[in-house]
Amino acid sequence: MIAFHVRARRGAFSLDFGTRSPTRALAVEGPSGAGKTTLLLALAGLTPATSARLQIDDQVIVDTDASLSPPTHRRRIGFIFQDARLFPHLTVADNLAFGARYAPHPMAVEAALDLVDLAGFGRRWPRSLSGGEARRVAIARALCMDPRILFLDEPFAGLDAGRRDALTPYLKRLRDETTIPLILVSHDPRDIAALAQDRVSLREGRGAIIA
């Protein structure tokens, strides 16, 4: 079960949105500007929020109203951004190790790379990776931190059809072969059909009925 509620404001934009799903792979769908990325950033502690609450099964991860608001690096939320956001001055292995610094039970770097079929890539530099390989390294980095939940922010953004098709099996493996719940945000119905078990709609910072 995944449940959350966020209230946040960025300039003139106001977000007040929450939902509960019995599944472990939830999609939040909506057009650009609906507040999808703001939602994830607020839950992860990467942007200020008036209030934020995130619960997985019986465990409350964040609840600012109850002063249960650990710092960002203690929330153990694996965040896979629209772009890979790898550190260019670190090798692939060092990028993964950086993500594992605060994990109580980090996944081994080589094990994480093997999960995304990049065994032996540890000594490579980000500049030598294709776009699809960089996304897979970002997935492995998120896994290394022993996350309680994974956030996927438009994970196929900017990829052509071939790279999208190549990346999809790894995200499905992540959903099916680990016990980590995930929240996917996307405006693309292909993403939602491929990965989500349930979906909710977000429009202009508020929930909307799905037709």
Side-chain angles (χ1 to χ4, degrees), residues 3-10 13-19 35-45 47-55 62-65 75 77 151 183 202 205-207:
F4 62 80
H5 191 199
V6 170
R7 293 186 181 92
R9 181 174 291 276
R10 299 181 73 176
F13 178 78
S14 172
L15 173 68
D16 188 347
F17 181 70
T19 193
K36 303 185 302 298
T37 297
T38 299
L39 172 72
L40 295 187
L41 292 174
L43 289 172
T47 196
T50 305
S51 66
R53 191 178 195 278
L54 174 63
Q55 181 177 345
V62 177
D63 189 348
T64 57
D65 291 339
R75 295 187 186 187
I77 294 173
F151 289 172
I183 298 176
L202 180 60
R206 302 294 187 272

Side-chain angles (χ1 to χ4, degrees), residues 1-5 19-21 43 52-63 149 181 183:
M1 185 273 292
I2 300 170
F4 62 80
H5 191 199
T19 193
R20 177 184 294 265
S21 173
L43 289 172
R53 191 178 195 278
L54 174 63
Q55 181 177 345
I56 304 166
D57 296 329
D58 295 327
Q59 185 177 23
V60 178
I61 306 301
V62 177
D63 189 348
I149 191 169
I183 298 176

Side-chain angles (χ1 to χ4, degrees), residues 92-121:
V92 166
D94 288 339
N95 265 278
L96 268 62
F98 185 91
R101 291 186 303 165
Y102 300 103
H105 305 290
M107 180 181 287
V109 166
E110 282 304 321
L113 288 174
D114 188 59
L115 188 64
V116 293
D117 286 345
L118 292 178
F121 273 58

